[in-house]
Amino acid sequence: MHKNKPNKVLDTKLDAVSKSLKQSIKNLDSYTHVRGESLYVDDVNIRQGTFHAVVFDSPKAHGKIKSIDYSKAEALEGVQRIFTYKDVPGENEIGGIIPDEPLFAENDVHFWGMPIALIVAESEFIARKARGLIDIEIEELPVITTAKEAKAKGSFINAPRSFSLGDTEKAFADCEYIFEGETFSNGQEHLYIETQGAYAEPLENGNIKVTSSTQGPTAVQKTIAKVLGIAMHKIEVDVTRLGGGFGGKEDQATPWAVMAALAAHHLNQSVKLILNRHDDLRMTGKRHPYESTYKIGLSKDLKIIAYQTEFLQNSGAAADLSPAIAERTLFHATNSYYIPNVTTKVLSCKTNLPPNTAFRGFGGPQGMFVIESAIAKAAHEIGVPTRTIQEANLLDENDTFSYGQIAKKVEAKNTWHSAKNIFNIEALEQAVEAFNKNNTSFKKGIAFMPITFGISFTNTPMNHARALVHIYLDGSVGISTAAVEMGQGVNTKMMQIAADVFSIPIEKIKIETTNTTRVANTSPSAASSTADLNGKATLMACNALVERLKIVASEDLKASVKDITLKEESVYINNKKSALTWTELVSKAMLKRVALTENAHYATPEIHFDKTKEKGHPFAYHVYGTAITTTTIDCMRGTYEFESVKIVHDYGKSMSEGIDLGQVEGALIQGIGWMTMEEIAYNKDGKLLSNALSTYKVPDIFSVPKTVEVIPVETEGNDMAILKSKAVGEPPLMYGIGAYFALQNAIKAFNPNYDMQFNAPMTPEKVLMSLYKKA
Ligand code: LUZ
Ligand code: MOS
């Protein structure tokens, strides 16, 4: 799939692009992954007598609970106990940002799949069987499934947010062209391979240890303490790794861990709760669908002078992370473009769907889809290529974002023009044109997708992390951080940092599980920031240890501290190798009673944001890039494939080209899936129809682009990125938006009457109907 052959054009552009890939380190988890030895929650050795739990959830999307009869279920042999809200000793409340979400429904239900009770039995099989024996009577209430309906009924999560720059109203009066329209982007199922789950084990004195598949161990710990009404120090949360998260386990890993802990607390026995795929699909929230309206105004020379949007976010039945996600939609509403007059508004609409949640990009993709739609619409109406308008408005150095941050070290134009040159855009476009001229039943389309993505949690107080580093007597090293490994390779990066600072082989370093007892009060592994925040903390801790060790070495070798360096497991004086090895140095430090443990705290400097003004400097830096997507559609069937996605991406100075390339490819394809084939469907009653892998299609090896080419732009990186290696987790997902517009262009090539539709995903059915739609 991936191709990175040396490129002639590339070789002549060495100043813009790195010549060869940096020596790549493999993701250290790959060894145990391919051998099937990697440990997940379901692999934890369970205590003898462990109970298994299944969640009983609402079979209606909205209503009052008239009665529930648990008697038959309770009578089933092997059923231990059924827990409801009445068994909660503390607060029956799990809302993270807004306290609006009960752990278990009390008197009413707000979404289909809302947890009502936890059935604990000797086996999962028995618990599942018991679930079928519960009788519930619900008095149904009107169900809202779309954001528009919610808006019409005044059903909101919180107050709207709005960003503005310049004077949009006035600017529209000066525009040569003004276009208005509506867009829709659907939700997206995370489909982590490992479903949600937790294992809770009671310890002595009422303490509980919980193994959880969570991106946010502290959120789990805090919420268990709140629900049980006990102190946080009684709860230890441990995470080895996740089989994927994608944001779906930032907040929504919590309820299952809390339920398992609640049952363990009452029963004084270990309890395991792992959702099966159907339960997971039905009970958990997804990416937020957005219904949006836009108004875009351009000058005669195609400068976007004014832009106005209203985003309706379908938040689901409770806040979850919706307010933060809504905020990030506003931050990315103008994507890679400088627009001097902007007014954006977002309404978090309360509906009767499962609370929608974080998903790679966190509202950013939804915001970018709207501006790209507005530009495509303008281009279509004016009769110019979309890329002409895109190119005319790319962000420049010192431009102001609508939220007040001044753009610095901008690579929007660089990645755009590098992509045009390296991939020879004239030849690509001519080939598409020639193909379309010579073919009637197949058409090709091509589209550019620039991205600009802000790095940091938009909530400034969350931007911190800690690392705890032990050097053991034998010179081996153990590192604990707040980073959760979920396949993104963060553990490998942490190991690289320590190996680099200590100058010892990675075999001497171990990354420990993520554990709230070793590293406390952590932010979730999210916002693409995990390697930056935890890496910086690791770097600080390792550097502090090296400083200490250098003093020991200087005393031992009778040399000045400033002349000492650690290199390849030895001490060097003035770059000359001494006889003192790393291991001996560590032993000597121990004899001198020097501390071989360090704990470091990192908090991103400079960032700030004032919500009363909606202005500030929320991001440590931005990640930039440009993708060119080419598609071919079969005009008889409406099916399509993506020939190539050619990307120039700003990695900064990548620490690991292999891992980062994996992130770009994975995110791109996840983005293409969201835009083209993944179709979440609820019926009017709020029942999830796309409730299995037979009715919800994610990209497989046959639907990924035939070639994905990623060329790194060698930038000087950013000091706030770890070792100048820019965050890579989320930004490339938005390259996938290019797939939507490539399809639009291919449809236009077939059907001259086609009036562009901005209604994602662009499934083959929609493509087919568009091909034959009359104006
Ligand atoms: N999570 C979060 C995120 O809590 N705040 C953010 O800004 C964010 N951004 C991206 C992904 N997850
Ligand atoms: Mo996230 S969407 O958990 O970075």
Side-chain angles (χ1 to χ4, degrees):
M1 178 172 72
H2 168 254
K3 168 172 123 210
N4 221 324
K5 64 173 180 356
N7 181 317
K8 275 207 194 84
V9 189
L10 177 63
D11 284 340
T12 61
K13 301 253 174 237
L14 285 182
D15 45 346
V17 171
S18 70
K19 189 168 192 177
S20 62
L21 295 181
K22 199 181 270 186
Q23 194 222 332
S24 287
I25 179 166
K26 284 202 183 76
N27 185 332
L28 293 154
D29 270 4
S30 53
Y31 182 78
T32 52
H33 282 356
V34 296
R35 292 167 61 94
E37 292 170 356
S38 298
L39 299 179
Y40 300 87
V41 173
D42 208 15
D43 301 308
V44 171
N45 278 322
I46 58 174
R47 199 192 283 190
Q48 192 166 17
T50 291
F51 295 130
H52 300 263
V54 164
V55 178
F56 170 64
D57 59 304
S58 175
K60 294 290 170 195
H62 193 197
K64 286 200 178 321
I65 298 175
K66 302 304 284 179
S67 67
I68 310 181
D69 181 2
Y70 293 110
S71 59
K72 277 180 273 175
E74 280 166 338
L76 187 71
E77 193 178 329
V79 170
Q80 276 301 309
R81 193 167 151 184
I82 298 178
F83 295 95
T84 70
Y85 74 94
K86 291 177 185 157
D87 300 299
V88 169
E91 288 175 59
N92 182 34
E93 175 55 57
I94 59 168
I97 298 180
I98 299 173
D100 67 350
E101 188 178 0
L103 176 68
F104 292 122
E106 298 189 6
N107 303 312
D108 34 39
V109 290
H110 296 278
F111 64 92
W112 201 301
M114 182 175 182
I116 297 173
L118 185 74
I119 307 153
V120 180
E122 282 165 16
S123 73
E124 186 185 330
F125 180 79
I126 294 170
R128 212 163 273 290
K129 199 165 163 194
R131 183 166 75 176
L133 300 174
I134 297 172
D135 289 318
I136 182 164
E137 206 189 319
I138 292 173
E139 182 189 317
E140 290 182 58
L141 292 168
V143 171
I144 302 175
T145 58
T146 69
K148 258 191 198 162
E149 289 169 76
K151 186 190 171 192
K153 292 188 174 172
S155 170
F156 301 110
I157 295 286
N158 59 351
R161 294 277 299 272
S162 179
F163 288 7
S164 78
L165 180 71
D167 188 339
T168 315
E169 202 67 9
K170 198 161 143 255
F172 273 119
D174 299 331
C175 289
E176 175 79 12
Y177 308 105
I178 295 177
F179 305 101
E180 293 181 64
E182 286 185 49
T183 72
F184 174 75
S185 62
N186 205 340
Q188 185 176 23
E189 165 58 39
H190 302 88
L191 217 85
Y192 23 67
I193 292 178
E194 180 200 27
T195 55
Q196 304 274 5
Y199 171 66
E201 194 178 355
L203 306 174
E204 59 188 17
N205 297 318
N207 300 324
I208 300 174
K209 182 177 175 187
V210 178
T211 305
S212 167
S213 180
T214 180
Q215 292 172 239
T218 292
V220 168
Q221 179 195 22
K222 184 175 137 197
T223 313
I224 293 172
K226 177 157 124 180
V227 171
L228 295 186
I230 60 178
M232 279 173 76
H233 71 203
K234 289 197 163 280
I235 308 297
E236 173 185 352
V237 178
D238 190 80
V239 184
T240 299
R241 70 165 62 67
L242 318 188
F246 310 113
K249 295 169 181 172
E250 181 174 340
D251 231 34
Q252 298 208 1
T254 301
W256 329 109
V258 176
M259 289 176 200
L262 175 79
H265 167 85
H266 282 294
L267 299 170
N268 196 29
Q269 176 57 283
S270 295
V271 175
K272 186 166 166 177
L273 169 57
I274 310 261
L275 300 191
N276 73 10
R277 184 64 69 184
H278 279 94
D279 287 358
D280 187 302
L281 291 171
R282 188 175 67 254
M283 295 179 200
T284 65
K286 309 170 193 319
R287 184 189 292 286
H288 295 74
Y290 272 60
E291 290 165 280
S292 312
T293 51
Y294 65 82
K295 182 173 171 186
I296 188 168
L298 300 92
S299 67
K300 209 168 181 174
D301 60 352
L302 302 180
K303 290 275 182 202
I304 305 169
I305 306 176
Y307 182 58
Q308 188 182 320
T309 58
E310 182 177 85
F311 299 104
L312 301 185
Q313 178 195 59
N314 187 334
S315 312
D320 191 273
L321 292 163
S322 295
I325 291 158
E327 179 180 58
R328 196 176 268 280
T329 300
L330 299 187
F331 282 120
H332 295 93
T334 56
N335 190 14
S336 293
Y337 310 106
Y338 172 63
I339 306 177
N341 303 285
V342 182
T343 305
T344 54
K345 185 178 179 187
V346 61
L347 304 170
S348 291
C349 301
K350 191 168 180 168
T351 63
N352 298 110
L353 300 186
N356 285 315
T357 193
F359 195 134
R360 207 171 190 174
F362 206 73
Q366 290 96 319
M368 291 187 194
F369 179 67
V370 180
I371 181 77
E372 294 302 329
S373 297
I375 291 173
K377 173 76 176 174
H380 180 70
E381 296 294 336
I382 298 170
V384 295
T386 303
R387 80 160 162 98
T388 308
I389 299 182
Q390 289 174 310
E391 188 173 315
N393 292 281
L394 289 171
L395 199 67
D396 225 332
E397 198 69 9
N398 297 320
D399 280 342
T400 306
F401 290 101
S402 66
Y403 45 93
Q405 184 159 345
I406 308 294
K408 295 284 179 193
K409 299 189 179 181
V410 179
E411 301 290 344
K413 289 188 173 172
N414 185 17
T415 59
W416 179 278
H417 292 291
S418 297
K420 272 174 77 178
N421 295 337
I422 293 166
F423 301 124
N424 197 353
I425 187 63
E426 275 76 25
L428 276 177
E429 286 179 340
Q430 278 162 19
V432 167
E433 223 169 280
F435 180 93
N436 287 346
K437 216 171 256 164
N438 297 327
N439 289 277
T440 48
S441 53
F442 289 86
K443 293 290 179 188
K444 282 187 194 288
I446 190 165
F448 273 68
M449 181 63 202
I451 60 149
T452 296
F453 196 79
I455 302 303
S456 288
F457 287 94
T458 58
N459 182 24
T460 302
M462 290 172 78
N463 293 284
H464 61 84
R466 278 155 302 289
L468 177 67
V469 179
H470 298 313
I471 303 173
Y472 291 99
L473 284 181
D474 62 354
S476 64
V477 171
I479 298 175
S480 296
T481 72
V484 169
E485 176 61 52
M486 48 187 140
Q488 84 280 46
V490 70
N491 282 356
T492 306
K493 290 184 177 180
M494 297 305 103
M495 193 145 5
Q496 281 180 275
I497 292 163
D500 193 51
V501 176
F502 294 140
S503 201
I504 58 176
I506 54 170
E507 292 72 29
K508 287 220 154 130
I509 300 161
K510 177 186 173 202
I511 304 299
E512 305 286 355
T513 61
T514 314
N515 185 296
T516 53
T517 301
R518 273 178 269 113
V519 179
N521 308 329
T522 68
S523 289
S525 286
S528 305
S529 302
T530 315
D532 276 1
L533 299 173
N534 294 279
K536 290 275 189 182
T538 302
L539 188 65
M540 288 164 73
C542 294
N543 278 333
L545 286 163
V546 164
E547 287 316 305
R548 238 175 261 159
L549 288 171
K550 278 185 184 173
I551 295 169
V552 175
S554 85
E555 287 164 6
D556 191 69
L557 297 170
K558 314 249 174 320
S560 164
V561 175
K562 66 173 175 19
D563 297 333
I564 289 178
T565 46
L566 300 183
K567 225 159 84 183
E568 289 162 359
E569 289 192 87
S570 286
V571 176
Y572 280 62
I573 306 171
N574 286 320
N575 290 322
K576 277 218 201 76
K577 191 172 176 171
S578 76
L580 188 59
T581 66
W582 163 260
T583 313
E584 287 162 358
L585 177 61
V586 169
S587 312
K588 291 201 161 144
M590 195 65 203
L591 291 173
K592 293 194 167 203
R593 297 182 292 170
V594 169
L596 293 174
T597 289
E598 184 67 15
N599 176 55
H601 170 84
Y602 175 75
T604 312
E606 290 172 38
I607 52 172
H608 56 89
F609 193 73
D610 181 347
K611 282 194 190 179
T612 64
K613 299 195 175 80
E614 301 289 28
K615 295 284 179 195
H617 186 105
F619 298 120
Y621 58 91
H622 289 81
V623 171
Y624 301 92
T626 299
I628 305 173
T629 302
T630 309
T631 187
T632 308
I633 54 178
D634 177 334
C635 303
M636 302 296 283
R637 297 180 177 83
T639 53
Y640 46 76
E641 55 183 31
F642 297 97
E643 254 111 79
S644 64
V645 181
K646 297 168 184 285
I647 299 171
V648 172
H649 184 76
D650 166 24
Y651 291 100
K653 296 201 178 303
S654 176
M655 285 178 66
S656 168
E657 294 278 5
I659 288 173
D660 288 354
L661 179 63
Q663 286 291 301
V664 173
E665 290 178 342
L668 164 72
I669 286 151
Q670 201 163 31
I672 292 176
W674 171 54
M675 281 281 110
T676 64
M677 63 198 299
E678 297 184 37
E679 192 165 37
I680 302 263
Y682 289 93
N683 70 9
K684 279 205 183 62
D685 300 328
K687 180 182 185 179
L688 181 68
L689 300 177
S690 51
N691 64 349
L693 296 191
S694 53
T695 48
Y696 188 78
K697 184 86 184 82
V698 295
D700 57 18
I701 196 67
F702 301 106
S703 50
V704 301
K706 288 222 198 63
T707 60
V708 175
E709 223 173 325
V710 187
I711 304 291
V713 172
E714 184 87 348
T715 64
E716 59 179 288
N718 190 296
D719 288 331
M720 289 214 254
I722 181 64
L723 303 179
K724 300 200 169 198
S725 166
K726 284 190 169 184
V728 72
E730 295 172 290
L733 182 132
M734 284 147 273
Y735 292 136
I737 296 172
Y740 186 92
F741 294 95
L743 287 170
Q744 297 297 312
N745 290 336
I747 295 165
K748 271 169 62 169
F750 182 82
N751 180 358
N753 294 321
Y754 178 57
D755 190 20
M756 289 204 159
Q757 297 290 306
F758 304 108
N759 186 327
M762 201 66 199
T763 57
E765 291 88 335
K766 280 193 205 154
V767 170
L768 190 64
M769 288 191 291
S770 302
L771 286 167
Y772 298 97
K773 199 164 165 184
K774 308 238 156 66

